[in-house]
Every structure is written in structure tokens, then in C-alpha cells.
Amino acid sequence: MIKTAFISLMLTCVVHNVSKAQVSFERLSDNVFHINADGNKTSVKSLLIVKNNKGLLVDAMYGEFGKSIKTYLNENDIKLEYIINTHYHGDHTHGNSNFDNTTIIAHQNTLSNIEKKAQYGPEEPFDKKYWPNLLFTDSLLLSFEGIEINIFHLGKGHTNGDAILHIPAFNLVDLGDMILAPQALPYASDPKNLISVLSTISESINTETIVVTGHGTLANKDALDALIRIMKETIGYVEDGKDVSKFPAEWNSWNSQFMDMATWLGMLTKYYKS
């Protein structure tokens, strides 16, 4: 699924703060920016690819942050041509509403979830004209200004419509919320299949690959393998019927603002007993 011909990225940092809901832009290469909301390391993240004054945005964040992204694009004379929504949750899709006349790409199930108003948390529905309008089920190959972007879905992971992006020219994959941050437990709609998805990706990348997370900091293959390992260990623990209140103390190192180990094991217990 993922090609292994890669080139390395030179990491530099350029920060721009715009609007009340601030976003910062970290330059990963001449063409790629990692966008961070509000300067918080665990806040929602986006990816911007720019070439020939045209832009492609992976996830548009909440509406106010999307407005800040739009301000940055306008100030730098960048025309946004594409948005890719990695999944349907409002912290990744509501910013769509800032961008008119833009092709919005997503998995079919992402659109279905938006139509059903199956939003996560307190988010409000947004105008239909900003819903995804270019859909895929298994995969989509996009050429953006000569940059090849592979978009594909490998089944349930974080949601039933996760879009995975692979950009060979930049040795980069974007996994959305399938990995929230390095050393952080995931939110998984299907824990075992999420392991399968992440394992497939891990087998197809190398130690230099940049892994973009939906929240938190940038990750790499080692961080991905560590997540797979802790998921396998904890699932095995629950399947073996062990007392989830007496899990190994070292597992608490995976606690984060996203989820703690006790909650994760409780979710697994409910999942495997249902």
C-alpha cells in the first residue's frame, strides 16, 4: 500500500500567530507546514502543503482556528484548492466552513457521520455546502501540483471512516486521531483492527518517516511501534481475564489528558464482553 522510496526532511521552524484563535506554522520543508492550535502541544493539529501559491490542507480544525488558517493563506497569497478530512469529528471538520469553492476529500463514512450529525462532544452541525464533496471508499490517488498524495482507508480504527495519508516525496504519513500523540492511549472504535491498521503502516515506513498525529507532537516509527505494543499488552491482559484494577504500575506512563490507563482498560473490558 505504501511505497518505500523516500527522501529525508530538513526540519526548521517558522511561527505565525494570527487572529484570536491562534495557530502556529512549523515549517517541515519548503512545501510542508505543521499547524498547531493555540500553542498547546496537545491541541488539534493540521498539515498544510503549499506549491506554486496553491494549498492543500489536511484537517481544518474548529471554525475559529480555520479562520486563522484562512487569514494566513490570504496574507501569503495562497489559494486553498483541497481540504482532506481525516475523520468526521468537529475539531477536524468545522473549519471547512471558512473555505468556499474548495474540494473537500473524505471517506464515504465521514460524510455519512456528518449527515447523521454524529458529532463528537458539543460541536454544532455546519452548513452542508462545506461537507466533503469528493469521496472515496478504499483509496484515492491525488496529484497536487505534481506531489503524489496517497489517501486510503484500512477499516475501523479511531472511527469507521479514517483517512490515512502518505506523501512519498516528503517521507510523511498523516494518521489523524488514530495516534493522538506519542506515548498516549488512543480512542479506538475497534481496538484490534486499529492494531492491524497501525501495524500495516509501521511495516511500510522507515525510521526517518515523519508521522503526523491528530493531537500532540510529531511522531515516528518508534512511537508507532510503542503504541502497537502497549495496545497488544493491554488487550491481552483483558482477554486473559486479569484484574484490571491491578495492572502493572509502569503502564501509567501512558496516561495523558486524552485518556488514562484505568479508563482504557475499562473500555476494553466493555468492548470484549459485549
Side-chain angles (χ1 to χ4, degrees), residues 21 63-65 88 99 117 127 131 158 172 174 199 206 217 236 241 259-260:
E64 287 302 307
F65 293 114
Y88 71 91
F99 302 101
K117 301 179 182 178
D127 194 292
W131 291 359
H158 177 61
L172 180 149
D174 190 321
S199 296
N206 61 38
T217 59
M259 185 181 297
D260 60 36

Side-chain angles (χ1 to χ4, degrees), residues 236-273:
Y237 191 86
V238 169
E239 288 186 319
D240 289 343
K242 294 181 180 178
D243 186 346
V244 295
S245 68
K246 298 179 180 178
F247 59 85
E250 59 268 24
W251 286 2
N252 281 314
S253 64
W254 283 83
N255 291 347
S256 70
Q257 73 174 66
F258 305 113
M259 185 181 297
D260 60 36
M261 184 57 70
T263 302
W264 168 250
L265 292 173
M267 290 176 61
L268 291 180
T269 299
K270 181 180 289 187
Y271 181 85
Y272 287 108
K273 287 185 177 180

Side-chain angles (χ1 to χ4, degrees), residues 201-243:
I201 294 165
S202 177
E203 291 166 3
S204 305
I205 63 178
N206 61 38
T207 57
E208 300 300 319
T209 304
I210 293 176
V211 177
V212 180
T213 66
H215 298 260
T217 59
L218 293 168
N220 55 24
K221 178 177 170 61
D222 287 344
L224 193 57
D225 289 342
L227 175 58
I228 293 167
R229 184 170 60 253
I230 195 67
M231 289 183 68
K232 287 181 176 179
E233 288 181 13
T234 52
I235 288 173
Y237 191 86
V238 169
E239 288 186 319
D240 289 343
K242 294 181 180 178
D243 186 346

Side-chain angles (χ1 to χ4, degrees), residues 83 85 88 93-97 99 102-107 110-119 124-135:
I83 296 173
N85 290 148
Y88 71 91
T93 58
H94 279 198
N96 291 2
S97 59
F99 302 101
T102 301
T103 299
I104 302 173
I105 301 170
H107 188 271
T110 291
L111 176 61
S112 298
N113 288 327
I114 292 173
E115 289 174 334
K116 295 171 185 174
K117 301 179 182 178
Q119 295 294 285
E124 295 295 326
F126 57 101
D127 194 292
K128 185 175 182 178
K129 71 177 182 177
Y130 301 110
W131 291 359
N133 49 47
L134 177 56
L135 305 176

Side-chain angles (χ1 to χ4, degrees), residues 15 67 71 85-86 128 173 243:
V15 176
K67 188 178 295 183
T71 298
N85 290 148
T86 59
K128 185 175 182 178
V173 292
D243 186 346

